[in-house]
Amino acid sequence: MSTIVLIHGLWVTPRSWERWIPYYEAQGHTVLAPAYPGFEAEVEALRADPSPIASLTVPETLAHLEKVITALPEKPILIGHSFGGVLTQLLLDRGHGAAGVVIDSAPPQGIRVNPPSQLRSLFPIFNNPAKRHRAAGFTPEQFHYAFTNTLPRDEARAAYDRYAIAAPGSWVWTYGLIANLTPGRRETWVDFHNADRAPLLFLAGGRDHIMPPAVNKSNHRHYKAPGTVTDYHEFPERSHWTCAEPGWQEVADYALDWALRHTEA
């Protein structure tokens, strides 16, 4: 049995893993789903007052996750969704994790693919520079387009009501579409030539609007270190909401089966 750390993305909390945790635990694994600092509160509380997360930084979040992971008795399997995918890549680059799976991952610095659907998805955060300094989120309609586009509107609204929160707007402004226009290394820089990195799998959804397959394919192709394992798999009909939309078990099984087969001794 293995230890699995599930890393959530932006605009949600660890609640987004509420089906995956018992699913993996029932198979005998130890499962942790740590919150980013400030994201520990329930969705309803953060929706009412997002100030605890407004000024959170990536380095603070990464340090918190490293503290959780290094306290474990063994190197865990890391599974990250969306921005959690970037954090997973950063953690692997720093020597953490026995294997990593990133699902619909946001890109680290250096990935210069920005499909039109991604621009449209993130426009609600970019449409006002003031959002760089506060927590910013989506309306139900915007969330439906960016996250839950494969769901009927009533199911998309139910997902929004249960899971959606605001997120630090600075993360999108600093590490999002314009990050590659800023000189120097950002906190999301990854050494794609790191030969000591644990195996890494990219899972993409063919109907993902906010992190389309082109982004994940480009990210995957950037890893070039000889002797490392970097794989890519696409679920053609799945969206960014792939960890919760119907059939999520297929994604969970594929991720864990691959990770267990590639877990370092």
Side-chain angles (χ1 to χ4, degrees):
M1 297 298 106
S2 296
T3 301
I4 303 167
V5 175
L6 303 172
I7 303 173
H8 66 85
L10 292 178
W11 299 294
V12 294
T13 71
R15 182 186 286 183
S16 60
W17 296 115
E18 64 180 347
R19 295 173 180 169
W20 287 49
I21 294 171
Y23 189 71
Y24 283 159
E25 287 178 336
Q27 299 175 41
H29 303 293
T30 299
V31 186
L32 289 79
Y36 300 175
F39 282 65
E40 301 90 349
E42 291 294 342
V43 168
E44 293 76 12
L46 289 172
R47 194 175 293 155
D49 177 16
S51 61
I53 61 178
S55 59
L56 180 67
T57 67
V58 167
E60 290 171 339
T61 307
L62 197 60
H64 172 71
L65 293 174
E66 285 187 295
K67 185 177 180 180
V68 171
I69 290 169
T70 55
L72 298 172
E74 62 176 355
K75 281 191 172 184
I77 292 169
L78 306 178
I79 300 178
H81 176 249
S82 196
F83 206 95
V86 177
L87 296 168
T88 298
Q89 293 181 61
L90 292 168
L91 290 165
L92 292 179
D93 191 32
R94 286 158 174 73
H96 301 296
V101 180
V102 295
I103 304 170
D104 302 334
S105 182
Q109 185 179 5
I111 309 303
R112 302 178 182 276
V113 177
N114 302 119
S117 70
Q118 186 182 56
L119 300 175
R120 177 178 169 182
S121 296
L122 292 173
F123 180 74
I125 312 301
F126 276 114
N127 64 1
N128 182 350
K131 293 181 179 178
R132 184 171 189 157
H133 306 291
R134 65 182 191 229
F138 299 98
T139 66
E141 291 75 19
Q142 292 163 347
F143 191 82
H144 188 197
Y145 179 81
F147 285 77
T148 58
N149 50 294
T150 58
L151 298 182
R153 288 196 174 274
D154 58 337
E155 294 180 21
R157 180 54 194 254
Y160 178 88
D161 290 343
R162 176 147 184 81
Y163 299 104
I165 61 169
S170 62
W171 289 34
V172 177
W173 278 84
T174 305
Y175 310 113
L177 304 178
I178 61 175
N180 293 315
L181 303 178
T182 306
R185 289 183 182 178
R186 316 300 300 178
E187 290 85 353
T188 55
W189 182 86
V190 169
D191 181 4
F192 294 118
H193 299 274
N194 181 358
D196 297 324
R197 173 183 53 77
L200 172 61
L201 170 66
F202 285 82
L203 294 180
R207 297 178 66 184
D208 186 341
H209 281 169
I210 192 169
M211 295 298 162
V215 177
N216 284 269
K217 289 178 180 176
S218 178
N219 196 164
H220 168 247
R221 287 195 297 267
H222 273 68
Y223 282 98
K224 301 181 184 302
T228 57
V229 176
T230 314
D231 287 343
Y232 174 90
H233 180 78
E234 187 172 318
F235 294 94
E237 297 301 322
R238 302 192 67 81
S239 72
H240 201 67
W241 202 241
T242 190
C243 296
E245 69 183 336
W248 60 267
Q249 297 92 337
E250 179 185 11
V251 181
D253 289 342
Y254 194 101
L256 184 55
D257 289 347
W258 185 95
L260 292 173
R261 280 190 284 112
H262 292 86
T263 296
E264 296 174 335

